[in-house]
Amino acid sequence: MIKNLVIVESPAKAKTIEKFLGKDYTVKSSYGHIRDLAKKDLGIDKEKGYKPKYLQSPDKKNVIKELREASKEADMVWLASDEDREGEAIAWHLFEVLKLDKEKTRRIVFHEITPKAIKNAIENPREIDYNLVNAQQARRILDRLVGFELSPLLWKKVKPSLSAGRVQSVAVRLLVEREREIIAFKPDYSYKVQATFSDQQGKHKLNAELNKRLPEENDVKEFFEKIKEQQFKVLSVQKKPAQKSPAAPFTTSTLQQEAARKFGFSVSQTMTLAQRLYEAGYITYMRTDSVNLSNDAIASAAEQITQLYGDKYQKTRRYATKSKGAQEAHEAIRPTYLQKQSVDAASGEQKLYSLIWKRTIASQMSNAQLEKTTINIPVEHNNSYKFVAQGEVLLFDGFLKVYMESRDEEENQEDKGLLPPIKEQESLDLLYSKALQRYTSQPPRYTEASLVKKLEELGIGRPSTYAPTISTVQKRNYVVKEDRTGKQRPIKEIELKDREIISRQKEETYGSEKSKLFPTDVGMVVNDYLTEYFKNVMDYSFTADVEKEFDRIAEGNRKWSAMIDEFYQPFHQKVAYAEENSERKAGERILGEDPKSGKPVMVRIGKYGPMAQIGTVDDEEKPQFASLRSEQHLETITLEEALDLFKLPRNLGEYEGKTVTVSVGRFGPYVRHDGLFASLKKEDDPYTIEFDRAVELIKDKREADAKKHIKTFDEKEKIKVQNGKYGPYITHKRKNYRIPKSVDPEKLTYEDCLEIIEKGKNKKTRKTKKK
């Protein structure tokens, strides 16, 4: 007989909670949602107030059966899913599907998995909050309506197999607008002038920068001519006290941003690691937009800081949340036990936990005390010009002893060091001056973390939606996350040394990108179509207002079906209008004429993505097609670049009596010879690669394949024994089977391979059944 059945949504959470409850409690997991909207007719009855039609998830059949049997046996059922809207909906679905008795069911919530929090939750149960359930249903239904009505429209008007989403499409719009800003950007330049001075005794050197940029090379030379004979004197040495305050404890958004800056974690990676830490009982709930800390947490932080660093480092602080629609009743993300500085977990979880601990502790520490020094050195021939040296001294490290928040690269701030002991009116000798041509920077592309920051600023989405939104736009191929190498450009350096002015030409790399989000051509064309015909769906303020409506439903101040109807009726009319009146969009651009055939050359979205085309369907001859390269855009590609695409495949000659060709495929440029495909390296260009280099790549590929290959059995169906990244394995019918460590792959017979394959198949079947 089960006295108390506790149902949570994840096995890891169940395992942790089970440790804290006695033998009178049985904890089981629902493995997330147990039902969802039906696919047929959208799963929504629009005629009956948008009533949802739910179906039990087929893969949860056994889970539901097990929970139903356990709940019938139990004296009391405790629904302990997460405390947010999604968790409330899971609790409600369980209540409905398991047909639970209201008198024998309790809903409990906690924002940390600790004995104290669990005990407190059981002592203070509540009923299911139907306002929260309705807010979750409203979001799910609205997103289903938008997605299911817009997607077929995009198939007709842009390209098959496309889809749209309410929040995702707005996120893509942000990226498209930024990309177009970058395309339209015209860099300007000026000269940054730096100088190195020394005191009269030659003991100390001082680096300073001119307070104004000079526009042209001639201006620099003229400036150097005027200062090369000047005796410089310090006008002022200003010292000012300053202080730095710690950042607030983490919210979902700020944790995602800081983990990206410090560790290069993706948004979804951060959330996966945080989920594990929460379910293991190490941190509080990881989906929150509050910076609030509980009184217990503040007291615990004060105790730890005093113990580890002393009284002067401790300062109690309470933070207020500035983001739109934040839930102040919730807590920030913090360790459940602040005395625990590290956890016994995998490397990624350890890093994230340490970051959360440091940020929480730092938020309750004293300000760092600084002294900022500015030295001004005037230029005689022009009163508006002066050389300025800046530095700072850390007088008291305060919270910096524990943690320093990282900066976004676009902030481009320089750390200032300590200055030498230079006094007012002291004479200085100019040792050296240099002017470097500096170009203005284009607007920065978004990273995953900076896009989350922007969405939060605009009030679009909530902590639970940031990661899925960013994952979805990448899965749909509207956005790609990648590194891109920069380009080279000449810059001038002008130097003044020993009263001589020397000009040099140098080169700099610019525009290199690391883990940035780039909208694809398909993403840009879809964005343009949606922006033209569905202005309100794509409007930032409108999307943020919809979020506020969900919040009103959650608070019990708005009827969910009325809110859906208010949105859906005009939206549905727009879909009908667009279907009837909108033209097909393919991002088509005519670039010019092909000099060989005189036929038009264009670029557009085709069935398989962006492509170049020579000729039209009306021509007698079939048009020629070539896919655009990953770094090329429909909006910026030139006629010459498009024509280059038709130079492939190139025939490089014959090797061992077989033709060697070079081309570009789905996985990049490659050399082909006698059925063998060898990928080109980064430094190889398919348009210029020569025969000898191609042969070199073919030989390298053969050698790599030989090392990989152990043996092949041609009897009946081909079975290969190969070396892989994780050791030897057997490949058969496009499936791989690991070879046990105790077995020598060189001695395997055909029968041995069949036995390993059979065991591998049985193992996979057992795993599936277990799930």
Side-chain angles (χ1 to χ4, degrees), residues 175-361:
L175 297 172
V176 170
E177 286 181 349
R178 178 57 56 88
E179 194 66 28
R180 290 204 169 118
E181 281 178 53
I182 292 166
I183 290 167
F185 178 75
K186 297 285 184 287
D188 195 6
Y189 68 81
S190 58
Y191 286 84
K192 177 182 178 180
V193 183
Q194 292 172 307
T196 301
F197 299 92
S198 81
D199 60 5
Q200 300 268 279
Q201 293 75 37
K203 283 184 181 177
H204 302 292
K205 286 183 181 178
L206 177 70
N207 296 317
E209 188 179 317
L210 192 66
N211 64 332
K212 292 186 180 180
R213 298 282 178 104
L214 301 178
E216 297 292 343
E217 183 180 359
N218 286 340
D219 299 305
V220 175
K221 287 179 176 176
E222 190 181 315
F223 178 76
F224 281 171
E225 284 290 348
K226 287 180 178 174
I227 67 166
K228 69 181 182 182
E229 303 293 343
Q230 182 185 335
Q231 179 64 57
F232 288 90
K233 190 179 276 191
V234 176
L235 174 69
S236 63
V237 178
Q238 297 166 340
K239 293 188 177 182
K240 287 182 181 176
Q243 53 184 12
K244 282 183 182 173
S245 301
F250 280 130
T251 61
T252 303
S253 149
T254 54
L255 178 64
Q256 288 167 349
Q257 290 164 51
E258 190 70 343
R261 289 188 290 238
K262 278 196 160 51
F263 312 130
F265 289 171
S266 69
V267 166
S268 59
Q269 186 182 1
T270 297
M271 292 313 289
T272 300
L273 295 171
Q275 178 101 26
R276 286 181 197 152
L277 289 171
Y278 166 68
E279 290 176 347
Y282 293 138
I283 63 169
T284 54
Y285 194 52
M286 66 288 156
R287 291 190 183 96
T288 178
D289 45 19
S290 171
V291 290
N292 186 39
L293 290 176
S294 68
N295 291 334
D296 284 354
I298 289 170
S300 178
E303 188 183 323
Q304 283 304 300
I305 293 160
T306 307
Q307 192 178 315
L308 293 168
Y309 312 111
D311 283 340
K312 64 178 181 177
Y313 281 92
Q314 193 273 321
K315 180 182 166 101
T316 298
R317 299 169 188 271
R318 296 188 184 275
Y319 294 88
T321 304
K322 292 173 186 172
S323 66
K324 299 174 185 178
Q327 307 293 310
E328 280 299 337
H330 298 163
E331 258 198 280
I333 303 168
R334 62 161 175 85
T336 48
Y337 302 105
L338 281 161
Q339 59 268 38
K340 193 190 278 282
Q341 292 187 40
S342 60
V343 292
D344 182 17
S347 167
E349 289 158 56
Q350 283 180 19
K351 280 182 179 177
L352 198 66
Y353 179 84
S354 176
L355 186 69
I356 294 166
W357 185 88
K358 286 175 181 175
R359 177 87 162 216
T360 309
I361 288 288

Side-chain angles (χ1 to χ4, degrees), residues 492-505:
K492 284 186 179 168
E493 181 184 82
I494 306 154
E495 184 180 78
L496 170 63
K497 193 173 184 183
D498 300 329
R499 293 185 170 82
E500 268 192 69
I501 299 168
I502 302 156
S503 259
R504 294 188 192 90
Q505 185 125 316

